Amino acid sequence: MARIIGKHVRGAVGDVVFKTYGDLQILQAKPRKYKQSKDTKKAAGIFGMSSSLAREFRSTLSAVITSCYDGTMVFRLNTEVLQSLRYAHDPVAKTYSFPEDSFSRLDGFDFNAKSPFQNNLFVMPDVTVSENILTISLPALQVPRDLKFPAGAHSCKILVGCSLINLKHNRATAKFASFTVPNKKNTTTLPQSWEFELEPGCICITAMSLQYVQSVLAGDRIINTKTFNPAAILNALVLDGEADVTKIKKWPQSKNKEIPLGG
């Protein structure tokens, strides 16, 4: 059954489904059930695992991403993770093995394509790993040359996050840090550095977002929107080694679909 809501039709009429995306009216054919072949079942299995893993990435980094991602973000991230899993798949053993760079295609991924991160922060942070410590280093910023401010913002909260996902034990955790830059012309910030303790055998995703603050009568508020929310993945890597089970058992249990791991 379809209904007219405003200028658009929503619902099903016969074999056609009416949907909306923004101001657009979209018509789609109703999905039909087909008998799946071995190849389609295999493709569905990989797709399910990639969607589940991408959801875990989004969940652990939700404080950095916020709710102001663009409408294509989930699909774009799912696609990148799917390609990463295909790269890691061993069709003979039917397992997945993840070298360090398995998810490197996520480096620089924008959570809002309408406001690319590198178009708002012009001095990129550096990410290094040494002896199970990940360091994110941000050079001194000259305002407004190195950091773009929208109208009305009195400061920018630079939020960094580091998430760790262990596929073997199905656990995940994340840690965060922040730094506030005032919107004052001809000022230079001090260099910043954040350190996060890592755990071997995990997927490590680091991300950063620029959250702009405005003063109103009720206090300060974030003014990022669905069309302006610079946030991106800085680095994605797989850490070598085996995790300390006594440590990661204290992490929240993730909801990933099980991924059969190779040696």
Side-chain angles (χ1 to χ4, degrees), residues 170-181:
N170 213 28
R171 300 280 175 166
T173 189
K175 298 178 180 180
F176 303 92
S178 64
F179 169 59
T180 299
V181 181

Side-chain angles (χ1 to χ4, degrees), residues 144-155:
R145 187 193 70 180
D146 299 328
L147 179 62
K148 177 181 177 180
F149 280 86
H154 69 68
S155 63

Side-chain angles (χ1 to χ4, degrees), residues 147-262:
L147 179 62
K148 177 181 177 180
F149 280 86
H154 69 68
S155 63
C156 175
K157 179 181 178 182
I158 299 178
L159 181 62
V160 296
C162 175
S163 74
L164 297 171
I165 298 98
N166 186 278
L167 298 179
K168 184 175 181 179
H169 300 282
N170 213 28
R171 300 280 175 166
T173 189
K175 298 178 180 180
F176 303 92
S178 64
F179 169 59
T180 299
V181 181
N183 185 10
K184 294 182 180 179
K185 292 185 178 181
N186 302 318
T187 61
T188 302
T189 68
L190 293 174
Q192 299 295 312
S193 180
W194 301 275
E195 291 187 348
F196 299 94
E197 184 179 356
L198 303 178
E199 189 62 34
C202 295
I203 302 171
C204 176
I205 309 289
T206 55
M208 180 177 283
S209 67
L210 308 177
Q211 300 181 7
Y212 293 93
V213 183
Q214 182 183 64
S215 292
V216 294
L217 290 177
D220 289 346
R221 68 182 182 94
I222 302 294
I223 60 173
N224 293 34
T225 66
K226 286 284 188 179
T227 58
F228 185 76
N229 185 55
I233 291 175
L234 301 178
N235 183 262
L237 72 157
V238 181
L239 304 171
D240 191 25
E242 288 288 332
D244 184 338
V245 179
T246 59
K247 286 185 179 180
I248 65 170
K249 284 297 183 182
K250 299 177 183 179
W251 297 357
Q253 188 163 9
S254 59
K255 299 179 181 180
N256 290 326
K257 287 192 175 182
E258 184 177 353
I259 298 176
L261 301 176

Side-chain angles (χ1 to χ4, degrees), residues 7-259:
K7 298 184 294 183
H8 300 108
V9 179
R10 295 183 182 179
V13 178
D15 292 331
V16 178
V17 178
F18 293 81
K19 297 181 179 181
T20 59
Y21 181 79
D23 293 328
L24 299 177
Q25 176 80 69
I26 298 175
L27 280 69
Q28 292 181 332
K30 273 188 177 180
R32 297 182 181 181
K33 294 183 178 180
Y34 296 95
K35 186 176 180 180
Q36 290 186 322
S37 66
K38 290 183 179 180
D39 289 339
T40 55
K41 287 181 179 179
K42 175 184 173 182
I46 296 178
F47 181 80
M49 287 185 288
S50 64
S51 298
S52 176
L53 185 56
R55 182 177 65 241
E56 192 66 42
F57 292 167
R58 299 195 307 272
S59 176
T60 54
L61 292 170
S62 59
V64 173
I65 302 170
T66 76
S67 61
C68 294
Y69 50 85
D70 73 83
T72 68
M73 186 275 285
V74 173
F75 171 77
R76 291 187 293 108
L77 185 61
N78 287 353
T79 300
E80 297 298 338
V81 176
L82 174 61
Q83 295 303 324
S84 297
L85 286 189
R86 285 176 174 166
Y87 168 74
H89 186 232
D90 182 341
V92 177
K94 297 181 180 180
T95 58
Y96 296 81
S97 298
F98 298 100
E100 180 180 307
D101 63 347
S102 295
F103 296 93
S104 61
R105 63 187 299 127
L106 296 180
D107 295 0
F109 178 89
D110 280 302
F111 292 108
N112 193 313
K114 297 178 182 179
S115 53
F117 186 78
Q118 64 179 359
N119 287 357
N120 296 278
L121 181 65
F122 299 103
V123 178
M124 286 295 101
D126 184 45
V127 181
T128 58
V129 175
S130 178
E131 297 182 357
N132 282 345
I133 296 294
L134 181 140
T135 303
I136 301 175
S137 301
L138 182 65
L141 303 177
Q142 294 186 34
V143 180
R145 187 193 70 180
D146 299 328
L147 179 62
K148 177 181 177 180
F149 280 86
H154 69 68
S155 63
C156 175
K157 179 181 178 182
I158 299 178
L159 181 62
V160 296
C162 175
S163 74
L164 297 171
I165 298 98
N166 186 278
L167 298 179
K168 184 175 181 179
H169 300 282
N170 213 28
R171 300 280 175 166
T173 189
K175 298 178 180 180
F176 303 92
S178 64
F179 169 59
T180 299
V181 181
N183 185 10
K184 294 182 180 179
K185 292 185 178 181
N186 302 318
T187 61
T188 302
T189 68
L190 293 174
Q192 299 295 312
S193 180
W194 301 275
E195 291 187 348
F196 299 94
E197 184 179 356
L198 303 178
E199 189 62 34
C202 295
I203 302 171
C204 176
I205 309 289
T206 55
M208 180 177 283
S209 67
L210 308 177
Q211 300 181 7
Y212 293 93
V213 183
Q214 182 183 64
S215 292
V216 294
L217 290 177
D220 289 346
R221 68 182 182 94
I222 302 294
I223 60 173
N224 293 34
T225 66
K226 286 284 188 179
T227 58
F228 185 76
N229 185 55
I233 291 175
L234 301 178
N235 183 262
L237 72 157
V238 181
L239 304 171
D240 191 25
E242 288 288 332
D244 184 338
V245 179
T246 59
K247 286 185 179 180
I248 65 170
K249 284 297 183 182
K250 299 177 183 179
W251 297 357
Q253 188 163 9
S254 59
K255 299 179 181 180
N256 290 326
K257 287 192 175 182
E258 184 177 353
I259 298 176

